[in-house]
Amino acid sequence: EFRRVLFRSLADPVHSTGGHPVSFKDGTWAQRFGALGDEAEQVFERVARYGWVRYGLNRPPLQMHRLPARIRYTPDYLMSNKFIEVQGLGRDQKLKLKLDKHGALHWWNDLHPVELFVWDSHHHRYCYLTMAEIDGLISSGQVELDTFPEGKSYFTFSARLLFDTSEMVGEYVPST
């Protein structure tokens, strides 16, 4: 089995987006929206080994719920050989992937391969997963289905499951 481990220690630390009085998943959409992806995207930009350009929507001044899912969930980055969608783990060490986002990412994957970049700020590690790996985990029965307060359903992946599955994991250690 092939497994690459990367290590990065860079001078410019990633700054936390700040704490919330409730867990991320239990916050309102407005609270969650304010903290979405910033830190994870900064880490991706620092550890990406090949060229990339920003591609997806980054909190545009639009009514996102009015956009079709395929546009709303445009992957965050474009690389020559793939798209990258970035997500972070919460304090609970779980990745929450909305069902409609999962479907939209499959549509994008049919155009150009999509990989998920997952950032674990609590353990300073990251991994990449293909859509096939994500689907394999869902099919394995090791993934739970849950719902956000506003009614959106999502898959819940444990950090252990993601990092054990990924063939490309790494560490990002902010300088102190």
Side-chain angles (χ1 to χ4, degrees):
E1 177 179 315
F2 173 73
R3 185 175 173 95
R4 278 179 49 186
V5 177
L6 304 174
F7 177 81
R8 295 289 246 203
S9 178
L10 304 173
D12 188 18
V14 173
H15 300 286
S16 171
T17 55
H20 295 286
V22 296
S23 70
F24 183 83
K25 77 173 183 69
D26 293 325
T28 65
W29 168 242
Q31 288 170 321
R32 294 195 323 266
F33 186 73
L36 285 178
D38 291 344
E39 181 179 348
E41 289 173 358
Q42 289 173 10
V43 171
F44 169 76
E45 291 176 6
R46 290 187 177 114
V47 303
R49 303 185 79 192
Y50 303 102
W52 52 264
V53 294
R54 183 82 184 147
Y55 195 75
L57 301 172
N58 192 11
R59 292 198 202 111
L62 304 172
Q63 295 178 347
M64 294 294 285
H65 68 278
R66 300 184 123 203
L67 297 175
R70 290 176 182 169
I71 295 172
R72 192 169 55 245
Y73 298 121
T74 301
D76 296 312
Y77 298 92
L78 172 64
M79 299 177 77
S80 298
N81 61 339
K82 61 189 157 198
F83 285 118
I84 298 290
E85 176 60 24
V86 175
Q87 280 200 235
L89 297 175
R91 279 185 218 108
D92 62 0
Q93 291 291 284
K94 297 194 186 276
L95 178 96
K96 292 145 185 95
L97 179 62
K98 292 179 184 174
L99 271 62
D100 57 346
K101 182 176 189 173
H102 177 258
L105 290 176
H106 266 288
W107 183 83
W108 286 102
N109 193 62
D110 287 343
L111 296 176
H112 194 56
V114 173
E115 287 187 11
L116 226 55
F117 173 89
V118 179
W119 168 239
D120 177 0
S121 62
H122 303 283
H123 293 100
H124 306 293
R125 62 185 178 164
Y126 61 89
C127 69
Y128 292 84
L129 293 136
T130 65
M131 290 304 293
E133 289 170 323
I134 292 293
D135 291 342
L137 294 176
I138 292 168
S139 298
S140 75
Q142 300 176 73
V143 174
E144 296 176 14
L145 191 59
D146 206 344
T147 307
F148 283 115
E150 71 274 6
K152 290 247 182 195
S153 296
Y154 61 91
F155 294 114
T156 303
F157 301 81
S158 71
R160 168 175 265 165
L161 184 61
L162 295 169
F163 282 87
D164 285 351
T165 300
S166 176
E167 293 186 0
M168 189 161 163
V169 300
E171 293 179 325
Y172 174 84
V173 180
S175 297
T176 53

